[in-house]
């Protein structure tokens, strides 16, 4: 008896449909063989599946049985094939085709008692099922809410192998979960922090507003306790709200990494990722023997915050160059090359020196010039050049800490940013780029023209501060953003002067 069941496997952040073919021979010694590049978890599924089938009151074929997972050249991983394999084996043993097999995709892990456990990647599986023209997907109950955001697909939740088999056999009717994309999107879109909670640091908040407005990367330099981490955590609150498409794309990444649960099964606010400085290259970029997304991809459409930047291994930091330029992470292994989306805003923070008090008029710095230089040298020049804005975050004054007046809210700052981004959107209407921070050389030449006074100012800055050619482009981009915030059509010398100020901190702190 030959039975075919459709399932799905995740590859990177997407899913690929897998055909599970179960063939029970008419004769032969009882045996079960799984082929089609299964990993250890899939090969072990035969013991889980047969035990679950027996405990659910069914039997499996008592002859030579072959389970083929097609396409055969795609490695199959994880326990998510347990449920479809079990369903195929029961149907083969009873020699009956189930009427719903052809229109459904099935995935789920089995417990030994026949219960169905959750799997990773339910959202990509549902999207792939819809793309393939399937009408429904059968998943564990814990994954239903995650997959139900996909329109045009019936999502059914099952709690046991028996329930799944009876449903596919049309002996039991289940109600599909209602599509709740809009409801879920609004439910999880509230922010928990706000810029009004930040005391003082008006110059830093201004730099953050400029950075978010133009999609620029940002470096905060200041002593311990100056509020760098507090400010960074609130950057997502002034980023433009996520669109539904962005939310689905981001949720896919978190889904395949197993970071979603029953309480938070959808990512509709900008992600904020803050890996520890001990993170490995693989943890940051993604990889391992079977490439999986790293922190740069988990921060997709959000913020990647690197606190204590010089404490990260230099080799780890250097891996950021490609994602910062290309907005994707490319992982190459012997088995192939995988590309993960990595469109994030980088916010980094560091002390001005190992002790943290270099340049502080109220605290003595205990570091020697050579220690300061070695500390700074941990961050390469090419990486610093890719960070558009460097701003000093000084220690907060006592009068600011005790000030009871509320600060400007994130909503007010976001309103200005949205208005300025609309100007950028109109400017780049014929381009795939939508923000100033992504301008190429042709766009810079077209939209960042300078008058004689501004050109002279920039020339003096380039010569006296020894800026690189990349820094020249960054200054012009930031100047264009500052002008947009002011509603100016052309870049003025005041806009250029502020942008130059955001490039000098990394130079003047170390003299």
């Amino acid at each position: 008896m030959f039975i075919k069941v459709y399932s799905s496997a995740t590859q990177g952040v997407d899913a690929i449909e897998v055909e599970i073919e179960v063939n029970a021979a008419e004769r032969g010694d009882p045996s079960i063989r799984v082929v089609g590049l299964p990993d250890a978890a899939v090969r072990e599924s035969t013991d889980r599946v047969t035990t679950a089938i027996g405990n659910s009151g069914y039997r499996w074929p008592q002859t030579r049985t072959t389970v083929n997972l097609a396409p055969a050249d795609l490695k199959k991983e994880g326990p998510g094939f347990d449920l479809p394999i079990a369903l195929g084996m029961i149907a083969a043993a009873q020699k009956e085709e189930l009427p719903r097999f052809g229109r459904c995709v099935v995935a789920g892990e089995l417990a030994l008692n026949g219960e169905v456990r959750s799997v990773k990647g339910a959202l990509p599986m549902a999207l792939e099922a819809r793309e393939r023209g399937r009408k429904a997907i059968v998943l564990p109950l814990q994954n239903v809410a995650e997959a139900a955001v996909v329109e045009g697909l019936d999502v059914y939740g099952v709690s046991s192998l028996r329930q799944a088999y009876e449903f596919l056999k049309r002996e039991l009717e289940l109600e599909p979960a209602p599509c709740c994309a809009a409801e879920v999107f609004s439910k999880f879109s509230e922010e928990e922090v706000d810029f009004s909670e930040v005391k003082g640091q008006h110059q830093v908040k201004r730099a953050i507003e400029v950075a978010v407005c133009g999609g620029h990367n940002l470096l905060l330099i200041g002593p311990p306790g100056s509020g760098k981490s507090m400010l960074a955590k609130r950057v997502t609150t002034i980023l433009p709200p996520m669109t539904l498409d962005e939310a689905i794309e981001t949720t896919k990444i978190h889904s395949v990494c197993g970071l979603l649960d029953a309480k938070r099964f959808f990512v509709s606010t900008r992600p904020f990722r803050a890996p520890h400085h001990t993170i490995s290259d693989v943890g940051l970029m993604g990889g391992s023997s079977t490439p999986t997304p790293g922190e740069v991809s988990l921060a997709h459409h959000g913020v990647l915050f690197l606190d204590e930047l010089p404490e990260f291994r230099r080799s780890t930091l250097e891996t950021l160059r490609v994602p910062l330029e290309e907005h994707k992470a490319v992982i190459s292994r012997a088995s192939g090359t995988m590309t993960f989306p990595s469109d994030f805003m980088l916010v980094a923070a560091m002390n001005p020196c190992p002790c943290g008090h270099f340049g502080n008029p109220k605290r003595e710095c205990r570091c020697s010039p050579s220690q300061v230089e070695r500390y700074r040298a941990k961050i390469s020049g090419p990486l610093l050049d890719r960070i558009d804005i460097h701003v000093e975050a000084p220690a907060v004054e006592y009068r600011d800490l005790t000030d009871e007046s509320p600060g400007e809210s994130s909503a007010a700052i976001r309103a200005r940013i949205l208005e300025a981004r609309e100007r950028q959107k109109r400017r780049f209407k014929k381009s795939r780029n939508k923000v100033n921070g992504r301008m190429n050389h042709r766009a810079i030449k077209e939209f960042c023209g300078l008058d004689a006074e501004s050109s002279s100012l920039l020339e003096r800055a380039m010569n006296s501060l020894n800026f690189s050619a990349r820094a020249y482009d960054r200054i012009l981009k930031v100047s264009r953003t500052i002008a947009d915030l002011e509603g100016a059509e052309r870049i003025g010398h005041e806009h250029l002067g502020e942008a130059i100020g955001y490039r000098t901190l990394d130079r003047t702190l170390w003299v």
Side-chain angles (χ1 to χ4, degrees):
M1 182 68 184
F2 176 80
I3 298 293
K4 181 185 290 187
V5 187
Y6 293 101
S7 188
S8 193
T10 57
Q11 186 176 45
V13 296
D14 296 312
I16 296 178
E17 186 173 87
V18 174
E19 296 179 6
I20 298 179
E21 300 170 333
V22 180
N23 186 77
E26 292 296 330
R27 59 182 63 87
D29 295 333
S31 64
I32 301 173
R33 186 182 181 192
V34 181
V35 297
L37 284 184
D39 72 345
V42 180
R43 286 195 298 270
E44 291 175 353
S45 66
T46 56
D47 293 329
R48 289 193 302 272
V49 165
T50 53
T51 305
I53 291 175
N55 288 332
S56 298
Y58 297 107
R59 61 184 180 89
W60 62 91
Q62 299 301 308
T63 59
R64 186 177 68 251
T65 304
T66 302
V67 179
N68 180 44
L69 311 179
D73 60 346
L74 173 68
K75 188 174 182 179
K76 319 304 186 304
E77 299 178 317
F81 299 109
D82 288 2
L83 181 59
I85 289 175
L87 292 169
M89 291 177 66
I90 296 172
Q94 297 189 4
K95 297 183 178 181
E96 57 183 359
E97 286 277 2
L98 301 192
R100 285 179 168 142
F101 266 170
R103 61 188 294 270
C104 286
V105 170
V106 184
E109 177 185 350
L110 284 177
L112 297 184
N113 63 356
E115 292 182 358
V116 180
R117 293 172 173 164
S118 63
V119 294
K120 297 179 182 178
L123 179 58
M125 291 178 186
L127 292 169
E128 173 68 6
R130 184 182 65 179
E131 184 70 19
R132 291 276 186 167
R134 305 298 168 198
K135 301 301 181 182
I137 185 169
V138 178
L139 292 169
L141 283 174
Q142 300 93 319
N143 295 116
V144 168
E146 176 186 337
V149 301
V150 179
E151 297 182 355
L153 183 74
D154 291 336
V155 180
Y156 296 95
V158 294
S159 59
S160 67
L161 172 59
R162 173 170 285 276
Q163 186 183 31
Y165 188 77
E166 290 178 351
F167 168 70
L168 293 170
K169 196 177 178 181
R170 295 192 187 276
E171 293 179 352
L172 173 69
E173 292 299 325
L174 299 174
E175 287 295 323
C179 182
C180 53
E183 179 184 348
V184 171
F185 188 68
S186 61
K187 176 182 177 182
F188 293 119
S189 60
E190 296 181 359
E191 299 284 358
E192 297 178 355
V193 294
D194 196 275
F195 261 101
S196 61
E197 301 157 354
V198 179
K199 301 292 185 180
Q201 301 293 19
H202 302 293
Q203 178 187 357
V204 183
K205 286 191 277 189
R206 165 66 177 179
I208 291 174
E209 181 177 344
V210 172
V212 172
C213 178
H216 305 288
N217 299 314
L218 175 70
L219 173 62
L220 304 175
I221 308 172
S226 58
K228 302 186 295 295
S229 298
M230 184 178 185
L231 287 159
K233 291 176 181 178
R234 284 154 178 77
V235 171
T236 57
T237 67
I238 60 174
L239 281 165
M242 291 184 84
T243 64
L244 181 57
D245 288 341
E246 287 177 335
I248 290 176
E249 188 176 5
T250 304
T251 304
K252 282 171 56 179
I253 301 172
H254 289 244
S255 177
V256 298
C257 291
L259 299 181
L260 304 181
D261 54 36
K263 292 184 178 179
R264 190 169 184 84
F265 50 84
F266 195 70
V267 181
S268 57
T269 56
R270 302 280 178 183
F272 178 85
R273 303 295 300 182
H276 193 261
H277 60 77
T278 57
I279 192 171
S280 65
D281 298 12
V282 171
L284 187 64
M285 284 290 293
S288 76
S289 57
T290 303
T292 54
E295 290 291 337
V296 295
S297 296
L298 291 171
H300 186 53
H301 291 316
V303 172
L304 178 66
F305 177 50
L306 302 183
D307 199 8
E308 305 294 345
L309 188 65
E311 300 300 330
F312 285 80
R313 283 189 291 270
R314 181 161 179 160
S315 62
T316 302
L317 292 178
E318 292 305 301
T319 63
L320 287 172
R321 291 195 195 182
V322 172
L324 288 175
E325 290 287 346
E326 304 294 334
H327 315 297
K328 59 185 179 182
V330 181
I331 310 298
S332 296
R333 294 291 184 269
S335 58
T337 299
M338 193 75 67
T339 300
F340 300 118
S342 301
D343 188 358
F344 60 88
M345 176 181 172
L346 175 65
V347 179
M350 61 181 288
N351 295 333
C353 66
C355 78
H357 301 296
F358 182 85
N360 189 341
K362 298 181 180 180
R363 297 284 298 273
E364 181 181 358
C365 176
R366 304 187 301 271
C367 306
S368 66
S370 61
Q371 287 177 315
V372 175
E373 185 61 31
R374 283 197 301 271
Y375 184 74
R376 180 222 178 186
K378 293 180 180 180
I379 309 171
S380 69
L383 179 60
L384 269 181
D385 281 341
R386 286 170 170 80
I387 302 177
D388 303 8
I389 296 177
H390 316 156
V391 63
E392 183 180 7
V396 183
E397 299 288 342
Y398 177 77
R399 63 176 179 272
D400 291 326
L401 288 173
T402 56
D403 186 5
E404 296 296 331
S405 59
E408 189 174 28
S409 68
S410 294
I413 301 173
R414 176 184 273 178
R416 291 196 297 270
I417 289 172
L418 290 176
E419 185 178 348
R421 284 215 173 189
E422 279 299 317
R423 297 189 184 97
Q424 297 173 60
K425 188 175 180 180
R426 292 192 295 270
R427 177 182 302 128
F428 303 121
K429 61 183 178 181
K430 297 181 180 180
S431 171
R432 296 173 62 182
N433 165 52
K434 300 302 177 187
V435 291
N436 294 327
R438 307 288 170 81
M439 283 192 288
N440 56 27
H441 292 288
R442 182 181 299 177
I444 292 174
K445 186 175 181 180
E446 181 178 356
F447 300 116
C448 298
L450 302 177
D451 57 26
E453 182 182 4
S454 299
S455 181
S456 176
L457 173 62
L458 183 55
E459 181 182 5
R460 293 196 302 272
M462 292 290 295
N463 292 333
S464 61
L465 297 172
N466 196 27
F467 286 143
S468 68
R470 185 177 283 109
Y472 172 83
D473 288 344
R474 305 287 175 177
I475 290 171
L476 290 177
K477 292 178 184 180
V478 174
S479 300
R480 181 64 267 173
T481 299
I482 296 170
D484 287 336
L485 278 170
E486 301 297 326
E489 291 297 324
R490 293 187 59 83
I491 297 174
H493 67 277
E494 67 278 10
H495 309 136
L496 190 63
E498 183 178 350
I500 292 172
Y502 292 142
R503 295 298 305 183
T504 56
L505 282 177
D506 61 320
R507 310 300 182 186
T508 57
L509 276 174
W510 315 104
V511 298

